[in-house]
Each structure stands twice: as C-alpha cells, then as structure tokens.
Amino acid sequence: MAGSNTYSTVVAWLKVVLPLAALALLSTLFLLSRTPDPDAALPYTDLDVEQLLREQRLSRPRFAGTLDDGREVTLVGNTAASAVEDPNTIAMTAVESRVVLSEESELLLTADTGDFFMDQQLVALEGSVHAETTQGYRMETEEATFAMDRLHLTAPGPVVLTAPGLLIEAGAMEMIGPEGAVFLSFTGGVRLLYEPGD
C-alpha cells in the first residue's frame, strides 16, 4: 500500500510541476526574445518607394500601329515609364520593334534604350542599335531614329551594314520606304566592299 501511495503522490505532483515548467520555458522565450528592428524587417527589399510613386512604370509595354501605306509596325520594351519633363515621351528599356516591309520581308530593330515621342510618332534608339531583315541585311550603330507612322529610319552616326557578299561602312544612313519600296542612302565617307559569290 505504501508503494502505491508513493506512486500516486508522484503522479499528482508531476501533473502540477510539468505544466508549470512548460509555462516557465515559454515565458522565458518571450522575455528573452529581441525587440523587432523595423529597418531589418525586409532585408531583401531594395526598392525606391519615392521613385515608384513619382513614376508610373509598366512591364513589357507593347505599342502597335500601321504605317501610312498600311504596313504593320510594333514596338515592345522590357519596361516603360513616362518622362518627368515631358508626359508625351515614354522612356523604354530593351526596345524591340518589328516593321513589315513586304509579304516576305520584315525589319527587326533592337536597342538598349529608346524614347517614344508619342506626339511626333518617333522613336529614338540608343545603345547597341541593331537592325536586321529577313533577307539577311544587318546594320549596327549606336544611335538611330525611326517613325511609327511611315517607313523612315535614320542613323546619324557611324554605321556598318552587312549582307551576303556585301559590307558598307558610312558616317550616316537613311532608309525610306514610299509606296511599299525601300531605299537606303549612305553619307559621310562611305566605304563599300563587295565580294561576288561563285
């Protein structure tokens, strides 16, 4: 009987002591925990909130239209934001434009950045401007301007144009396309290298 009585007493005490010990452990967790640091609450956030409020930025914007002769043109960027000094100007990054030249031919333009002047329907490209047609003509320059309402592309600085068997280097270039045609004009120390095929 004494053993049974001792066992019951131990169990009774454990029923009281163990919950109290658990409460003590929990209270020490809360008491010893550090005060939250508001500056460290979002350690991976690197956003300029004021800039976001000032700018209305779009991701993957797309503009489409037709030239004066009905050919289609599209303009796409990685990001776009309205310019602070001129609400009619849209500043874009990673610009890509496609212009239909004919049923069999397209012109693809790419650049690091571009400004779309909506009131003038002009796009000014800068930084590694690259133009390529489906026929294999390729142009490289650092600056170019093209129109969204007519076929008109100008490169005011040094330009290099390559094609199968053809190399042209010039100080400037202009491309126009009246009535479905495409004409190229080179100026400023033009250098032409032609290698006829076999």
Coordinates of all heavy atoms in Angstrom, one line a residue, residues 60-64 73-79 92-99 106-116 123-132 146 148:
R60 N 6.9 45.2 -69.8 CA 6.6 44.6 -71.1 C 5.5 45.4 -71.9 O 4.5 44.9 -72.3 CB 6.2 43.2 -71.0 CG 7.2 42.2 -70.5 CD 8.5 42.3 -71.3 NE 8.2 41.7 -72.7 CZ 9.1 41.8 -73.7 NH1 10.3 42.4 -73.5 NH2 8.8 41.3 -74.9
P61 N 5.6 46.7 -72.0 CA 4.7 47.5 -72.8 C 4.7 47.2 -74.3 O 5.8 46.8 -74.8 CB 5.1 49.0 -72.5 CG 6.6 48.8 -72.4 CD 6.8 47.6 -71.6
R62 N 3.6 47.3 -74.9 CA 3.5 47.0 -76.4 C 2.7 48.0 -77.1 O 1.6 48.3 -76.7 CB 2.9 45.6 -76.6 CG 2.7 45.2 -78.0 CD 2.0 43.8 -78.2 NE 1.6 43.5 -79.5 CZ 2.4 43.0 -80.4 NH1 3.6 42.6 -80.1 NH2 2.0 42.7 -81.6
F63 N 3.2 48.6 -78.2 CA 2.5 49.6 -79.0 C 2.5 49.0 -80.4 O 3.4 48.4 -80.9 CB 3.3 50.9 -79.0 CG 3.5 51.5 -77.6 CD1 4.6 51.2 -76.9 CD2 2.5 52.3 -77.1 CE1 4.8 51.8 -75.7 CE2 2.7 52.8 -75.8 CZ 3.9 52.6 -75.1
A64 N 1.3 49.2 -81.0 CA 1.2 48.6 -82.4 C 0.5 49.7 -83.2 O -0.3 50.5 -82.8 CB 0.4 47.3 -82.4
V73 N 3.5 47.9 -87.8 CA 4.7 48.1 -87.0 C 4.4 47.9 -85.6 O 3.3 48.3 -85.1 CB 5.2 49.6 -87.2 CG1 4.1 50.6 -86.9 CG2 6.5 49.9 -86.4
T74 N 5.3 47.3 -84.8 CA 5.1 47.0 -83.4 C 6.3 47.5 -82.6 O 7.4 47.5 -83.2 CB 4.8 45.6 -83.1 OG1 6.0 44.8 -83.5 CG2 3.6 45.0 -83.7
L75 N 6.1 48.0 -81.4 CA 7.1 48.5 -80.5 C 6.9 47.8 -79.1 O 5.9 48.0 -78.5 CB 7.1 50.0 -80.4 CG 8.1 50.7 -79.5 CD1 9.5 50.4 -80.0 CD2 7.8 52.2 -79.4
V76 N 8.0 47.1 -78.7 CA 7.9 46.4 -77.4 C 9.1 46.8 -76.6 O 10.2 47.0 -77.1 CB 7.8 44.9 -77.6 CG1 7.7 44.2 -76.2 CG2 6.7 44.5 -78.5
G77 N 9.0 46.9 -75.2 CA 10.1 47.2 -74.4 C 10.0 46.3 -73.1 O 9.0 45.7 -72.8
N78 N 11.1 46.2 -72.4 CA 11.1 45.5 -71.2 C 10.4 46.3 -70.1 O 9.5 45.7 -69.4 CB 12.5 45.2 -70.7 CG 12.6 44.3 -69.5 OD1 11.8 43.3 -69.4 ND2 13.5 44.6 -68.6
T79 N 10.7 47.6 -70.0 CA 10.0 48.4 -69.1 C 9.7 49.8 -69.8 O 10.4 50.1 -70.8 CB 10.8 48.7 -67.8 OG1 12.0 49.4 -68.1 CG2 11.1 47.4 -67.0
M92 N 11.9 53.8 -72.6 CA 11.8 52.4 -72.6 C 13.2 51.8 -72.5 O 14.2 52.4 -72.9 CB 11.1 51.9 -73.8 CG 9.7 52.5 -74.1 SD 9.0 52.1 -75.7 CE 8.6 50.3 -75.4
T93 N 13.2 50.5 -72.0 CA 14.5 49.8 -71.9 C 14.3 48.5 -72.7 O 13.2 48.0 -72.9 CB 14.8 49.4 -70.5 OG1 13.8 48.6 -69.9 CG2 15.0 50.7 -69.6
A94 N 15.4 48.0 -73.2 CA 15.4 46.7 -74.0 C 14.3 46.8 -75.1 O 13.4 46.0 -75.1 CB 15.2 45.5 -73.1
V95 N 14.5 47.7 -76.0 CA 13.5 48.0 -77.0 C 13.6 47.0 -78.2 O 14.7 46.7 -78.6 CB 13.6 49.5 -77.5 CG1 12.6 49.8 -78.5 CG2 13.6 50.4 -76.4
E96 N 12.4 46.6 -78.7 CA 12.4 45.8 -79.9 C 11.2 46.2 -80.7 O 10.1 46.4 -80.2 CB 12.2 44.3 -79.5 CG 12.1 43.4 -80.7 CD 11.9 41.9 -80.2 OE1 12.8 41.5 -79.5 OE2 11.0 41.3 -80.7
S97 N 11.5 46.4 -82.0 CA 10.4 46.9 -83.0 C 10.5 46.0 -84.2 O 11.6 45.7 -84.7 CB 10.7 48.4 -83.3 OG 9.7 48.8 -84.3
R98 N 9.3 45.7 -84.7 CA 9.2 44.9 -86.0 C 8.4 45.8 -87.0 O 7.3 46.3 -86.6 CB 8.5 43.6 -85.7 CG 9.3 42.6 -85.0 CD 8.6 41.2 -84.9 NE 9.4 40.3 -84.2 CZ 10.3 39.5 -84.8 NH1 10.5 39.6 -86.1 NH2 11.0 38.7 -84.1
V99 N 8.9 45.9 -88.2 CA 8.2 46.6 -89.3 C 8.1 45.6 -90.4 O 9.0 45.0 -90.9 CB 9.0 47.8 -89.7 CG1 8.3 48.6 -90.8 CG2 9.3 48.7 -88.5
E106 N 10.6 41.3 -93.2 CA 10.4 42.1 -92.0 C 11.7 42.8 -91.6 O 12.8 42.2 -91.9 CB 9.8 41.3 -90.9 CG 8.4 40.9 -91.0 CD 7.9 40.2 -89.7 OE1 8.7 39.9 -88.9 OE2 6.7 40.0 -89.6
L107 N 11.6 43.9 -90.9 CA 12.7 44.6 -90.3 C 12.6 44.5 -88.8 O 11.6 44.9 -88.2 CB 12.8 46.0 -90.8 CG 13.8 46.9 -90.1 CD1 15.2 46.5 -90.4 CD2 13.6 48.4 -90.4
L108 N 13.6 44.0 -88.2 CA 13.7 43.9 -86.7 C 14.7 44.8 -86.2 O 15.9 44.8 -86.6 CB 14.0 42.4 -86.3 CG 14.2 42.2 -84.8 CD1 12.9 42.5 -84.0 CD2 14.7 40.8 -84.5
L109 N 14.3 45.7 -85.3 CA 15.2 46.7 -84.6 C 15.3 46.4 -83.1 O 14.2 46.1 -82.5 CB 14.6 48.1 -84.8 CG 14.7 48.7 -86.2 CD1 13.7 49.9 -86.3 CD2 16.1 49.2 -86.5
T110 N 16.5 46.4 -82.6 CA 16.7 46.2 -81.1 C 17.6 47.3 -80.7 O 18.5 47.7 -81.4 CB 17.2 44.8 -80.8 OG1 18.4 44.6 -81.5 CG2 16.2 43.8 -81.2
A111 N 17.5 47.7 -79.4 CA 18.4 48.7 -78.8 C 18.3 48.5 -77.3 O 17.3 48.0 -76.7 CB 18.0 50.1 -79.2
D112 N 19.3 49.1 -76.6 CA 19.4 49.0 -75.1 C 18.2 49.9 -74.5 O 17.5 49.5 -73.6 CB 20.7 49.5 -74.6 CG 21.8 48.6 -75.0 OD1 21.5 47.4 -75.3 OD2 23.0 49.0 -75.0
T113 N 18.1 51.1 -75.1 CA 17.1 52.0 -74.6 C 16.4 52.7 -75.8 O 16.9 52.8 -76.9 CB 17.6 53.1 -73.7 OG1 18.6 53.9 -74.4 CG2 18.3 52.5 -72.4
G114 N 15.2 53.3 -75.5 CA 14.5 54.1 -76.5 C 13.5 55.0 -75.9 O 12.9 54.7 -74.9
D115 N 13.4 56.2 -76.6 CA 12.4 57.2 -76.1 C 11.3 57.3 -77.2 O 11.6 57.5 -78.4 CB 13.0 58.5 -75.9 CG 13.9 58.6 -74.7 OD1 13.7 57.8 -73.8 OD2 14.8 59.4 -74.6
F116 N 10.1 57.0 -76.9 CA 8.9 57.1 -77.8 C 8.3 58.4 -77.6 O 7.6 58.7 -76.6 CB 8.0 55.9 -77.5 CG 6.8 55.9 -78.4 CD1 6.8 56.5 -79.7 CD2 5.6 55.2 -78.0 CE1 5.7 56.5 -80.5 CE2 4.5 55.2 -78.9 CZ 4.5 55.8 -80.1
V123 N 10.6 57.3 -82.5 CA 11.3 56.5 -81.5 C 12.8 56.7 -81.7 O 13.3 56.5 -82.8 CB 10.9 55.0 -81.6 CG1 11.7 54.3 -80.5 CG2 9.4 54.8 -81.5
A124 N 13.4 57.2 -80.7 CA 14.9 57.5 -80.7 C 15.5 56.3 -79.9 O 15.3 56.1 -78.7 CB 15.2 58.8 -80.0
L125 N 16.4 55.6 -80.6 CA 17.0 54.4 -80.0 C 18.5 54.8 -79.7 O 19.1 55.5 -80.5 CB 17.0 53.2 -81.0 CG 15.7 52.8 -81.5 CD1 15.8 51.7 -82.6 CD2 14.8 52.3 -80.4
E126 N 19.0 54.2 -78.6 CA 20.4 54.4 -78.2 C 21.0 53.1 -77.6 O 20.3 52.4 -77.0 CB 20.5 55.6 -77.2 CG 20.2 56.9 -77.8 CD 20.5 58.0 -76.8 OE1 20.7 57.7 -75.6 OE2 20.4 59.2 -77.1
G127 N 22.3 53.0 -77.8 CA 23.0 51.9 -77.2 C 22.9 50.6 -77.9 O 21.8 49.9 -77.8
S128 N 23.9 50.2 -78.7 CA 23.9 48.9 -79.4 C 22.6 48.7 -80.2 O 21.9 47.7 -80.1 CB 24.0 47.7 -78.4 OG 25.2 47.8 -77.7
V129 N 22.4 49.7 -81.1 CA 21.3 49.6 -82.0 C 21.6 48.5 -83.1 O 22.6 48.6 -83.8 CB 20.9 50.9 -82.7 CG1 19.7 50.8 -83.6 CG2 20.7 52.0 -81.6
H130 N 20.7 47.6 -83.3 CA 20.9 46.5 -84.3 C 19.6 46.4 -85.1 O 18.5 46.4 -84.6 CB 21.1 45.2 -83.5 CG 21.2 44.0 -84.4 ND1 22.4 43.7 -85.1 CD2 20.3 43.1 -84.8 CE1 22.2 42.6 -85.8 NE2 21.0 42.2 -85.6
A131 N 19.8 46.4 -86.4 CA 18.7 46.2 -87.4 C 19.0 45.0 -88.3 O 20.1 44.8 -88.7 CB 18.5 47.5 -88.2
E132 N 17.9 44.2 -88.5 CA 18.1 43.0 -89.4 C 16.9 42.7 -90.1 O 15.8 42.9 -89.6 CB 18.5 41.8 -88.5 CG 18.8 40.6 -89.3 CD 19.3 39.4 -88.4 OE1 19.5 39.7 -87.2 OE2 19.5 38.3 -88.9
F146 N 13.5 56.2 -85.7 CA 12.6 55.7 -86.8 C 11.2 56.2 -86.4 O 10.8 56.5 -85.3 CB 12.6 54.2 -86.9 CG 12.0 53.4 -85.8 CD1 10.7 53.0 -85.9 CD2 12.7 53.1 -84.6 CE1 10.1 52.3 -84.8 CE2 12.1 52.4 -83.6 CZ 10.8 52.0 -83.7
M148 N 6.9 55.8 -86.4 CA 5.9 54.8 -86.2 C 4.8 54.9 -87.2 O 3.9 54.0 -87.3 CB 5.3 54.9 -84.8 CG 6.3 54.4 -83.7 SD 6.5 52.6 -83.6 CE 4.9 52.2 -82.9

